[in-house]
């Protein structure tokens, strides 16, 4: 990693995890395999910031630790990349096991339980699907009907005023890192 840490992907430990490595990696990983409108790819870091914001709207009284979990929901992708769901399914359960091990190490590193409570995980997934719907309709060329089919029809009050930002990776990296530290201070 850029921090100098050595991360064993098959046996990750919390001590091998640094937020700067996560933020840097996610800022340079493109959602939708880069097949989006705009001058910059829509990064996983930008997506994660949006998911955390949506989660906070869905669960307004959520403690900071669950907001942090929402921010970190795709953190393993800093080293394994962002694969679209059909590819993940084709790779099979070994991909999920790798993702689970990385997630557990990341969570433990930042004071979260290795596995999230099911209710929290579902709420984060709901925010993730709303984010995917916004991305699909605003930057990935989906019609609203297509996005509704794949991601469900989100509550218009959550999506009406949201416009996605495509920015330089350095800006997404800085905001992701800053938000991480803000949430840690609230825990």
């Amino acid at each position: 990693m850029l921090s100098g840490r050595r991360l064993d992907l098959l046996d990750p430990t919390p001590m091998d995890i640094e937020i700067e490595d996560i933020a840097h990696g996610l800022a340079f990983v493109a959602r939708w395999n880069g097949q989006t409108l705009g001058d910059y790819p829509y990064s996983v870091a930008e997506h994660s910031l949006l998911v955390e914001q949506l989660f906070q709207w869905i669960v307004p009284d959520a403690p900071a630790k669950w907001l942090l979990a929402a921010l970190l929901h795709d953190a393993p992708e800093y080293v394994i990349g962002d694969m679209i769901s059909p590819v993940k399914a084709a790779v099979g359960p070994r991909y999920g096991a790798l993702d689970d091990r990385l997630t557990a190490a990341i969570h433990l590193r930042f004071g979260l339980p290795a596995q999230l409570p099911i209710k929290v995980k579902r709420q984060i997934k709901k925010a993730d699907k709303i984010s995917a719907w916004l991305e699909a309709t605003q930057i990935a060329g989906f019609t609203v009907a297509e996005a509704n089919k794949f991601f469900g029809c989100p509550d218009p009050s959550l999506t009406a005023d949201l416009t996605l930002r495509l920015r330089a990776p350095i800006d997404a990296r800085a905001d992701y890192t800053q938000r991480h530290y803000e949430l840690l201070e609230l825990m």
Side-chain angles (χ1 to χ4, degrees), residues 55-83:
F55 176 79
Q56 193 168 18
W57 291 349
I58 293 166
V59 189
D61 59 345
K65 68 180 180 179
W66 300 145
L67 297 175
L68 180 60
L71 181 69
L72 294 169
H73 81 283
D74 279 340
E77 294 178 8
Y78 87 105
V79 289
I80 60 176
D82 181 28
M83 281 194 244

Side-chain angles (χ1 to χ4, degrees), residues 7 14 19-21 23 29 36 41 55-57 67-68 97 99 118-122 124 126 169 176 178 180:
L7 179 65
I19 193 58
E20 290 79 9
D21 293 331
V29 173
T36 53
F55 176 79
Q56 193 168 18
W57 291 349
L67 297 175
L68 180 60
D99 186 83
I118 291 175
K119 181 178 179 180
V120 173
K121 199 169 185 170
R122 284 185 184 141
I124 292 171
K126 181 178 179 179
Y176 187 95
Q178 178 182 338
H180 174 266

Side-chain angles (χ1 to χ4, degrees), residues 31-42:
R31 296 266 299 161
W32 305 91
N33 291 327
Q35 299 299 308
T36 53
L37 303 171
D39 293 332
Y40 294 104
Y42 189 71

